[in-house]
Amino acid sequence: MSASPAKTALLLAGGGARAAYQVGVLRSLARAFPHLRFPILSGVSAGAINAALLANIPGGFPRAVPGLTRQWEGLAIEDVFLPDDVRDLCANVLRWGCRLVTGGAHHVPPTRGLVETSPLNAFLHRVLESEDGVLRGVDENIRGGHVSALGITTTSYPTGQSVTWVQGENVAGWEGPGQRGVPVAMTVDHIMASCALPLLFPAVRLAEGWHCDGGVRLTAPLAPAIHLGADRIIAISTLLEPGRSGANLPAREYPPPATIIDLLLSSIFLDTLDRDTMELRRLNQLLAGHPESSRPGLRPVEVLLFRPSQDLGLLAGEFESELPGAFRHIVRDLGTHEANRSDFVATLLFQPHYIRKVMQIGEQDGDRRLGEIAAFLGCPAPQPAVRTESPANPVAARSFALPSLEPATVAA
């Protein structure tokens, strides 16, 4: 596989703590295909953290996955934000209220986010082994031939554009409707900006102004990998297909705030990936049978999309009690128990038991699809490892069929 001329890209979507699912899938791939390489890595939000770690750890994909796994297994909510700092949380809400009733008076102190994310900044500096914030391991892997390009996507507040910051060998920027690529030397700030969920996490100032979560305006999530030269893409989402949730409110009940937040989060983390994949398949159908000479500027790109086989938002309800006390009460006040599931909780549930269970689901999903993955990569199918459910941590989440592989043709 490493000698194949095809450039395989790994696209990692957002989802907060649910990005542990991606780690589980990658563990399955690394074990089953020890020579697998992903020359192109593209990440958004929490997926940007995973992509950056894979690109920064020396030695390429198979060696990077164990390191990525260790970081997630040791992760706690205190490594992301300060959940017990209720005074600051209440003070931030009060400041926003004061600005609202005073018409944005200048004497009211500004509030940039509901929670403080300095722990995440310190965590990224530590695990990426960068005192000054520069990801030097990325450049080393590029020079060593393990990686050809890394793309991290953010959203620009000044322009409303989706901006993909790219580092790689001879990579060039690009301009498109509502999106562009900018060559840079990747830093921790680019990752922090990609994870800056609006209102909850503070935005990050980059070279062109303030930036927030990359999923907000990313209407074509496959585009960055394609611009970076991908011929085939493995995309790993963190949510079920929209409309297939394992638990819903009765139709007569008015949705609580938690359900409304879940809907907004779903539109950021998943809906655009599904829509983009669907558009690619439609374009493929339109161009089928046309000779290359009649379609200049277009080239075929195969896409394999992963989604969890279980509802990770529903699963989060079983581990919600592990949230720190004060933060747990705030979350429950939003109505998470009324819907019996919460993507909002799943996004913030950086707790060891939930993370390990989500990783286990990802690994099992990867093992079940080894034959399909092998066909996609053009190599013999390995034998899947036999795995059993941990009796100490059962899960009663509902399972669904996973999507099948379809080739897609996209604009170069």
Side-chain angles (χ1 to χ4, degrees), residues 137-161:
V138 175
D139 189 52
E140 293 177 10
N141 277 328
I142 291 173
R143 290 199 307 267
H146 302 296
V147 175
S148 64
L150 168 66
I152 300 296
T153 301
T154 65
T155 301
S156 168
Y157 272 121
T159 67
Q161 282 186 310

CSV table of all heavy atoms in Angstrom, one decimal, residues 137-161:
chain,number,residue,atom,x,y,z
A,137,GLY,N,7.3,18.5,14.6
A,137,GLY,CA,7.2,17.1,14.1
A,137,GLY,C,6.5,17.0,12.8
A,137,GLY,O,6.8,16.0,12.0
A,138,VAL,N,5.6,17.9,12.4
A,138,VAL,CA,5.0,17.8,11.1
A,138,VAL,C,6.0,18.0,10.0
A,138,VAL,O,6.0,17.3,9.0
A,138,VAL,CB,3.9,18.9,11.0
A,138,VAL,CG1,3.3,18.9,9.6
A,138,VAL,CG2,2.8,18.7,12.1
A,139,ASP,N,6.9,19.0,10.2
A,139,ASP,CA,7.9,19.2,9.2
A,139,ASP,C,8.8,18.0,9.1
A,139,ASP,O,9.3,17.7,8.0
A,139,ASP,CB,8.7,20.5,9.5
A,139,ASP,CG,9.6,20.9,8.4
A,139,ASP,OD1,9.1,21.0,7.3
A,139,ASP,OD2,10.8,21.1,8.7
A,140,GLU,N,9.2,17.4,10.2
A,140,GLU,CA,10.1,16.2,10.2
A,140,GLU,C,9.4,15.1,9.4
A,140,GLU,O,10.1,14.4,8.6
A,140,GLU,CB,10.4,15.8,11.6
A,140,GLU,CG,11.3,16.8,12.4
A,140,GLU,CD,11.5,16.4,13.8
A,140,GLU,OE1,11.2,15.2,14.1
A,140,GLU,OE2,12.0,17.2,14.6
A,141,ASN,N,8.1,14.9,9.7
A,141,ASN,CA,7.4,13.8,8.9
A,141,ASN,C,7.3,14.1,7.5
A,141,ASN,O,7.3,13.2,6.6
A,141,ASN,CB,6.0,13.6,9.6
A,141,ASN,CG,6.1,12.7,10.8
A,141,ASN,OD1,6.9,11.8,10.9
A,141,ASN,ND2,5.2,12.9,11.8
A,142,ILE,N,7.2,15.4,7.1
A,142,ILE,CA,7.1,15.7,5.7
A,142,ILE,C,8.4,15.5,5.0
A,142,ILE,O,8.5,14.9,4.0
A,142,ILE,CB,6.7,17.2,5.5
A,142,ILE,CG1,5.2,17.4,6.0
A,142,ILE,CG2,6.9,17.7,4.1
A,142,ILE,CD1,4.8,18.8,6.0
A,143,ARG,N,9.5,15.8,5.7
A,143,ARG,CA,10.9,15.6,5.1
A,143,ARG,C,11.2,14.1,5.1
A,143,ARG,O,11.8,13.6,4.2
A,143,ARG,CB,11.9,16.3,6.0
A,143,ARG,CG,11.9,17.8,5.9
A,143,ARG,CD,13.2,18.4,6.3
A,143,ARG,NE,13.6,17.9,7.7
A,143,ARG,CZ,13.3,18.5,8.8
A,143,ARG,NH1,12.6,19.7,8.8
A,143,ARG,NH2,13.7,18.0,10.0
A,144,GLY,N,10.6,13.3,6.0
A,144,GLY,CA,10.8,11.9,6.0
A,144,GLY,C,9.9,11.1,5.1
A,144,GLY,O,10.1,9.9,5.0
A,145,GLY,N,9.0,11.8,4.4
A,145,GLY,CA,8.1,11.1,3.5
A,145,GLY,C,6.9,10.4,4.1
A,145,GLY,O,6.2,9.7,3.4
A,146,HIS,N,6.7,10.6,5.4
A,146,HIS,CA,5.5,10.0,6.1
A,146,HIS,C,4.3,10.8,5.8
A,146,HIS,O,3.2,10.2,5.9
A,146,HIS,CB,5.8,9.9,7.6
A,146,HIS,CG,7.0,9.1,7.9
A,146,HIS,ND1,7.1,7.8,7.7
A,146,HIS,CD2,8.2,9.5,8.5
A,146,HIS,CE1,8.3,7.3,8.1
A,146,HIS,NE2,9.0,8.4,8.6
A,147,VAL,N,4.4,12.1,5.6
A,147,VAL,CA,3.2,12.9,5.4
A,147,VAL,C,3.5,13.9,4.3
A,147,VAL,O,4.7,14.3,4.2
A,147,VAL,CB,2.9,13.8,6.7
A,147,VAL,CG1,1.8,14.8,6.4
A,147,VAL,CG2,2.5,12.8,7.9
A,148,SER,N,2.6,14.1,3.4
A,148,SER,CA,2.8,15.1,2.3
A,148,SER,C,2.1,16.4,2.6
A,148,SER,O,2.5,17.5,2.2
A,148,SER,CB,2.3,14.5,1.0
A,148,SER,OG,0.9,14.3,1.0
A,149,ALA,N,1.0,16.3,3.4
A,149,ALA,CA,0.3,17.6,3.7
A,149,ALA,C,-0.7,17.4,4.9
A,149,ALA,O,-1.3,16.3,5.1
A,149,ALA,CB,-0.6,18.1,2.5
A,150,LEU,N,-0.8,18.5,5.7
A,150,LEU,CA,-1.7,18.5,6.8
A,150,LEU,C,-2.6,19.8,6.6
A,150,LEU,O,-2.1,20.8,6.4
A,150,LEU,CB,-1.0,18.6,8.2
A,150,LEU,CG,-1.8,19.0,9.4
A,150,LEU,CD1,-2.8,17.9,9.7
A,150,LEU,CD2,-0.9,19.3,10.6
A,151,GLY,N,-3.9,19.6,6.8
A,151,GLY,CA,-4.8,20.7,6.7
A,151,GLY,C,-5.7,20.8,7.9
A,151,GLY,O,-6.3,19.8,8.4
A,152,ILE,N,-5.8,22.0,8.5
A,152,ILE,CA,-6.6,22.3,9.7
A,152,ILE,C,-7.5,23.4,9.3
A,152,ILE,O,-7.1,24.5,8.9
A,152,ILE,CB,-5.7,22.7,10.9
A,152,ILE,CG1,-4.7,21.6,11.3
A,152,ILE,CG2,-6.6,23.0,12.1
A,152,ILE,CD1,-5.4,20.3,11.7
A,153,THR,N,-8.8,23.2,9.5
A,153,THR,CA,-9.8,24.1,9.1
A,153,THR,C,-10.4,24.9,10.2
A,153,THR,O,-10.7,24.4,11.3
A,153,THR,CB,-11.0,23.4,8.3
A,153,THR,OG1,-10.4,22.7,7.2
A,153,THR,CG2,-12.0,24.4,7.8
A,154,THR,N,-10.5,26.2,10.0
A,154,THR,CA,-11.2,27.2,11.0
A,154,THR,C,-12.2,28.0,10.2
A,154,THR,O,-12.3,27.9,9.0
A,154,THR,CB,-10.1,28.1,11.6
A,154,THR,OG1,-9.6,29.0,10.6
A,154,THR,CG2,-9.0,27.3,12.3
A,155,THR,N,-12.9,28.8,11.0
A,155,THR,CA,-13.9,29.7,10.4
A,155,THR,C,-13.5,31.2,10.8
A,155,THR,O,-13.3,31.4,12.0
A,155,THR,CB,-15.3,29.5,10.9
A,155,THR,OG1,-15.7,28.1,10.5
A,155,THR,CG2,-16.3,30.4,10.3
A,156,SER,N,-13.4,32.0,9.8
A,156,SER,CA,-13.0,33.4,10.0
A,156,SER,C,-14.2,34.2,10.4
A,156,SER,O,-15.2,34.3,9.7
A,156,SER,CB,-12.4,34.0,8.7
A,156,SER,OG,-12.2,35.4,8.8
A,157,TYR,N,-14.1,34.9,11.6
A,157,TYR,CA,-15.2,35.8,12.0
A,157,TYR,C,-15.2,37.0,11.1
A,157,TYR,O,-16.3,37.5,10.7
A,157,TYR,CB,-15.0,36.2,13.5
A,157,TYR,CG,-15.6,35.3,14.4
A,157,TYR,CD1,-14.8,34.6,15.4
A,157,TYR,CD2,-17.0,35.0,14.4
A,157,TYR,CE1,-15.4,33.8,16.3
A,157,TYR,CE2,-17.5,34.1,15.3
A,157,TYR,CZ,-16.8,33.5,16.3
A,157,TYR,OH,-17.3,32.7,17.2
A,158,PRO,N,-14.1,37.7,10.7
A,158,PRO,CA,-14.2,38.9,9.9
A,158,PRO,C,-14.8,38.6,8.5
A,158,PRO,O,-15.6,39.5,8.0
A,158,PRO,CB,-12.7,39.3,9.7
A,158,PRO,CG,-12.0,38.7,10.9
A,158,PRO,CD,-12.7,37.4,11.1
A,159,THR,N,-14.6,37.5,7.9
A,159,THR,CA,-15.0,37.3,6.5
A,159,THR,C,-16.1,36.2,6.4
A,159,THR,O,-16.8,36.2,5.4
A,159,THR,CB,-13.9,36.8,5.6
A,159,THR,OG1,-13.4,35.5,6.0
A,159,THR,CG2,-12.7,37.8,5.7
A,160,GLY,N,-16.3,35.4,7.5
A,160,GLY,CA,-17.3,34.3,7.4
A,160,GLY,C,-16.9,33.2,6.5
A,160,GLY,O,-17.6,32.2,6.3
A,161,GLN,N,-15.6,33.2,6.0
A,161,GLN,CA,-15.1,32.1,5.2
A,161,GLN,C,-14.6,30.9,6.0
A,161,GLN,O,-14.2,31.1,7.1
A,161,GLN,CB,-14.0,32.6,4.3
A,161,GLN,CG,-14.3,33.5,3.1
A,161,GLN,CD,-13.1,33.8,2.3
A,161,GLN,OE1,-12.1,34.3,2.8
A,161,GLN,NE2,-13.2,33.6,1.0
